[in-house]
Amino acid sequence: MPAPQKKLIFCTAGVLSFACALGTAAAIGTQLWVRGTILCTTGALLVNASGAELHKFIGDIQYGLFSGQRVRQCGLGGRPFQFSFFPDMLKIIPASIHVSVILFCTVLIVFALVGAGFFMFNAFGSPYETLHGPVGLYLWSFIACSCGCLIMILFSSEVKIHHLSEKIANFKEGTFTFKTHSEQFANSFWTILVCSLVHFLNALLIRFAGFEFPFSKSKDSGTTSGAVDLMY
């Protein structure tokens, strides 16, 4: 492939990596990872609510990696409550999983920035071998993509398997019991998915630029080595 086209591909990949780093950094600080509704089962059972009356006992909840808010509805109007995971809720949430999600988000940002830098270096500079060349570009893209996948898997397990929304809804609730009525992943979670797909796309762009995948052998080298073996 001609050099101008390679520069264009590397610049595109570098811009995408940098955008992913910014998107991940913005996603970490928001409360838009999970949105849902919570049902006050205690209040609904006391008045035997059903149908339209049930909406008076359904509140809202949304949270991110560090903080969130909930609006509890127990038949007397909404009562908002702000909360933070650190240090208030460390005893009720799977802290090891939650901290791992934050750490992998940090690693994703770091390697996205590193990948963006090396993409630009390979576009406008003289690429070195190994880590500065195409093998390094594959490496940074693979690590960033893997971190994004791990973030989604760990956070999904924290929300769905460990019932994170219910634990948050029942935090410091002695009288009333809340149950998750509905929940869905919000914008910040899907931002991580988009970033993972972008890093996978970057690996395809490197291949499209004419570089072989790491640890792959060309057919010519195999044919040549076979001929040498036959001579001996």
Side-chain angles (χ1 to χ4, degrees):
M1 179 177 290
Q5 295 184 20
K6 288 185 178 181
K7 288 184 178 181
L8 178 61
I9 290 175
F10 284 141
C11 287
T12 302
V15 170
L16 290 175
S17 294
F18 185 74
C20 286
L22 292 181
T24 304
I28 291 177
T30 67
Q31 298 180 1
L32 301 177
W33 283 73
V34 175
R35 283 179 174 173
T37 57
I38 51 176
L39 173 65
C40 180
T41 56
T42 304
L45 289 174
L46 284 175
V47 300
N48 197 19
S50 62
E53 297 178 349
L54 199 62
H55 290 284
K56 297 181 180 180
F57 299 91
I58 296 178
D60 300 318
I61 185 172
Q62 70 174 26
Y63 55 90
L65 298 181
F66 294 96
S67 61
Q69 61 180 354
R70 74 186 188 202
V71 179
R72 60 196 298 271
Q73 293 270 11
C74 295
L76 299 175
R79 297 184 179 182
F81 174 74
Q82 299 282 339
F83 61 87
S84 60
F85 288 102
F86 303 98
D88 299 337
M89 295 189 177
L90 287 180
K91 294 182 179 180
I92 66 169
I93 67 172
S96 59
I97 298 178
H98 200 79
V99 172
S100 297
V101 171
I102 297 174
L103 288 177
F104 280 119
C105 284
T106 305
V107 174
L108 174 57
I109 294 173
V110 171
F111 279 97
L113 291 174
V114 170
F118 278 109
F119 274 118
M120 292 300 180
F121 183 83
N122 279 272
F124 298 104
S126 299
Y128 293 2
E129 294 182 357
T130 315
L131 296 182
H132 287 252
V135 176
L137 298 179
Y138 283 121
L139 179 63
W140 313 134
S141 299
F142 174 76
I143 293 176
C145 183
S146 300
C147 287
C149 294
L150 287 173
I151 291 169
M152 291 185 293
I153 292 172
L154 290 175
F155 190 75
S156 299
S157 66
E158 186 180 8
V159 173
K160 299 297 182 180
I161 298 177
H162 294 275
H163 306 289
L164 183 60
S165 298
E166 285 190 8
K167 291 179 178 179
I168 294 173
N170 290 284
F171 178 65
K172 291 185 177 180
E173 290 289 343
T175 305
F176 296 96
T177 302
F178 293 87
K179 184 178 181 181
T180 303
H181 187 260
S182 67
E183 64 181 0
Q184 59 274 342
F185 295 108
N187 298 340
S188 295
F189 179 84
W190 300 119
T191 298
I192 302 298
L193 174 61
V194 172
C195 290
S196 301
L197 295 177
V198 165
H199 289 297
F200 180 76
L201 175 63
N202 283 347
L204 297 181
L205 287 177
I206 302 168
R207 180 64 185 89
F208 183 72
F211 295 117
E212 296 289 340
F213 286 110
F215 311 112
S216 62
K217 295 182 179 179
S218 62
K219 295 181 179 179
D220 296 337
S221 61
T223 305
T224 304
S225 61
V228 172
D229 292 338
L230 290 175
M231 291 177 63
Y232 296 94

